[in-house]
Amino acid sequence: MDTEVLNVAIIGCGWVADWHVQDGFAHLPKRFNVLACCDRDIERAKQFAERYRVERVVGDLGEVLSMPDVDVVVICTPPALHYSMVVACLRKGKHVVCEKPFVASLAQVDAVIAEEAKSTARVMPIFQYRFGDGLAKVRHVIRSGLAGKHYVSSIDTAKRRDANYYQVEWRGKFATELGGVLLTQAIHIHDVLLWLVGPVQAAACFKTTRVNPIEVEDCAVASLQLHDGSLASLSATLGSARQTTRLRLCFENVTFEKTGHDENSSRPADEPWTVIPRVPELAAAIEQKMAEVAPGSAWFVRQYELFHEALASGAPFPVTLADARASIELVTGLFAASESCCVVEFPIGADHPKYNGWFDAPLYTNDAGA
Ligand SMILES: NC(=O)c1ccc[n+]([C@@H]2O[C@H](COP(=O)([O-])OP(=O)(O)OC[C@H]3O[C@@H](n4cnc5c(N)ncnc54)[C@H](O)[C@@H]3O)[C@@H](O)[C@H]2O)c1
């Protein structure tokens, strides 16, 4: 049977929208056709359309939602706009893919979950750092039980952002970016940690702004207690001389390590990972387990392949609303812990003072999508 080609519309034709096409749809022409693009800066949308030969160019989400032949809307706009756009798409029966950070609060994630339940359409949040053969193998060993008990993990996100980066109007402010390094950069690696050894049971955190003259945090450290009593430490900065991400996961039978520099700092799922068995006798069993994972594609391509398969079969998406909720819950807990200098217990429920958001500034919305 032929695979169905899904018509896609991309909303927000900036930096990350290029990745969705170059590192995703361009590799999957039998599954996706980028039919429309939309940006309130119409010149930017036109240039995007020219780069990727996109047939339709519009300046407003409402115009996309009135196109009956658009199957999937991909939201690549600044963070404060995600919620209203996701809801507008669901109400028009369009499947939605939405960039991170998914929305601005746990209350908003729960509202999207309720909207999805009423809609014929489905939502997939983006966490493309998850996808690649190296991490797939590590996760397979952990899930098989062979790694044994998780003891402790340390996760570093050391990125570099200078004044140039903050020239884009929406960055650096709570009302538009919603948060800093914890929300915008480290959210990916923290999602990987939660995917491997979560959920979180309790968190402590310090955060500060020291690198750039911005409103949101650009340095943070946190300690986590996980559901099984094991521990993790997180550090995140936007002031690193060299961009580096580092994961070290220490289990009863094996330690997994991954360091990525420069461009590879965004690709923690790629091979190689360093896998150190506790005793040499375990090496063969771990290697055999890792060999059970068939090699596949990575990053956006893999997430979109799995998205297409899941839409066809009705299976869960490779990143679910529950995953987006866990990432927003972690940020909520870290902000609450930092503000109160107290340990915050998870899960964070609707009665928590930060359930409706981790900052007080009013959200900026420039869209009339909803
Ligand atoms: N997954 C990743 O690794 C990754 C990387 C970078 C950015 N992001 C996320 O992607 C989102 C966009 O970031 P970016 O760096 O591409 O931003 P950007 O500023 O480069 O692009 C955003 C675009 O949205 C357009 N826009 C704003 N309001 C709009 C509206 N109402 N309707 C239509 N278009 C509108 C802007 O004109 C701009 O062209 C953010 O949520 C960001 O956190 C994710």
Side-chain angles (χ1 to χ4, degrees):
M1 201 177 77
D2 282 348
T3 319
E4 188 192 357
V5 178
L6 298 171
N7 282 328
V8 171
I10 297 184
I11 318 300
C13 301
W15 174 7
V16 85
D18 278 320
W19 288 5
H20 282 255
V21 180
Q22 288 169 15
D23 298 313
F25 300 127
H27 300 265
L28 301 166
K30 293 192 175 147
R31 295 176 216 198
F32 298 99
N33 167 41
V34 182
L35 178 68
C37 64
C38 162
D39 199 297
R40 66 198 284 262
D41 178 341
I42 197 71
E43 277 315 308
R44 193 175 284 191
K46 282 182 186 163
Q47 286 164 17
F48 187 86
E50 216 166 282
R51 274 202 298 288
Y52 303 114
R53 301 207 168 95
V54 181
E55 207 176 287
R56 299 181 198 160
V57 185
V58 295
D60 179 72
L61 173 64
E63 293 176 69
V64 168
L65 295 181
S66 66
M67 296 176 188
D69 48 357
V70 166
D71 304 301
V72 180
V73 178
V74 177
I75 295 173
C76 296
T77 51
L81 304 179
H82 293 175
Y83 172 71
S84 59
M85 290 186 162
V86 169
V87 169
C89 294
L90 284 174
R91 288 184 181 168
K92 287 283 183 179
K94 305 288 187 198
H95 299 302
V96 202
V97 173
C98 181
E99 262 301 343
K100 50 60 40 178
F102 185 59
V103 288
S105 65
L106 282 168
Q108 288 191 349
V109 189
D110 288 341
V112 170
I113 291 170
E115 285 289 342
E116 193 198 43
K118 289 188 278 182
S119 173
T120 51
R122 298 173 61 190
V123 187
M124 180 179 75
I126 284 286
F127 272 134
Q128 85 278 10
Y129 279 38
R130 282 184 178 194
F131 302 102
D133 290 346
L135 186 56
K137 289 175 183 173
V138 166
R139 189 159 184 265
H140 186 58
V141 174
I142 295 170
R143 286 166 69 89
S144 75
L146 196 54
K149 275 199 306 195
H150 175 238
Y151 290 154
V152 72
S153 288
S154 58
I155 309 292
D156 298 334
T157 306
K159 297 274 184 171
R160 180 171 176 160
R161 297 290 183 269
D162 301 321
N164 212 17
Y165 177 84
Y166 289 103
Q167 276 179 6
V168 176
E169 198 192 12
W170 63 266
R171 295 192 182 127
K173 304 175 191 101
F174 278 113
T176 42
E177 189 177 353
L178 312 177
V181 67
L182 287 171
L183 190 73
T184 300
Q185 287 82 19
I187 197 166
H188 284 289
I189 307 277
H190 295 171
D191 166 67
V192 168
L193 177 78
L194 299 185
W195 198 45
L196 295 176
V197 295
V200 176
Q201 190 164 291
C205 177
F206 289 100
K207 64 180 179 60
T208 185
T209 307
R210 292 176 72 77
V211 183
N212 285 288
I214 52 174
E215 210 178 279
V216 297
E217 81 289 351
D218 56 24
C219 296
V221 292
S223 300
L224 306 181
Q225 184 181 54
L226 300 161
H227 66 107
D228 59 355
S230 66
L231 304 174
S233 71
L234 315 175
S235 88
T237 183
L238 298 180
S240 179
R242 187 174 189 190
Q243 303 217 97
T244 299
T245 51
R246 190 172 285 131
L247 298 96
R248 188 164 200 282
L249 301 126
C250 187
F251 285 80
E252 187 179 8
N253 298 328
V254 55
T255 294
F256 301 104
E257 293 178 350
K258 173 74 179 177
T259 299
H261 294 297
D262 308 320
E263 289 192 351
N264 289 332
S265 67
S266 301
R267 313 237 354 176
D270 285 357
E271 296 202 275
W273 275 65
T274 304
V275 178
I276 309 160
R278 184 170 186 79
V279 290
E281 298 75 61
L282 280 168
I286 291 171
E287 244 170 65
Q288 211 174 2
K289 191 48 71 187
M290 290 171 81
E292 288 172 6
V293 176
S297 49
W299 234 43
F300 282 100
V301 179
R302 187 67 186 143
Q303 186 166 353
Y304 275 122
E305 276 173 359
L306 294 169
F307 170 72
H308 194 287
E309 279 171 28
L311 273 183
S313 69
F317 286 142
V319 180
T320 63
L321 283 175
D323 297 328
R325 193 184 194 286
S327 75
I328 295 298
E329 184 183 39
L330 179 59
V331 170
T332 306
L334 296 181
F335 269 73
S338 161
E339 198 176 293
S340 63
C341 288
C342 290
V343 169
V344 169
E345 304 283 338
F346 287 54
I348 296 177
D351 55 347
H352 192 280
K354 299 273 182 213
Y355 177 76
N356 290 305
W358 49 84
F359 60 91
D360 294 330
L363 278 189
Y364 172 77
T365 50
N366 68 8
D367 65 301

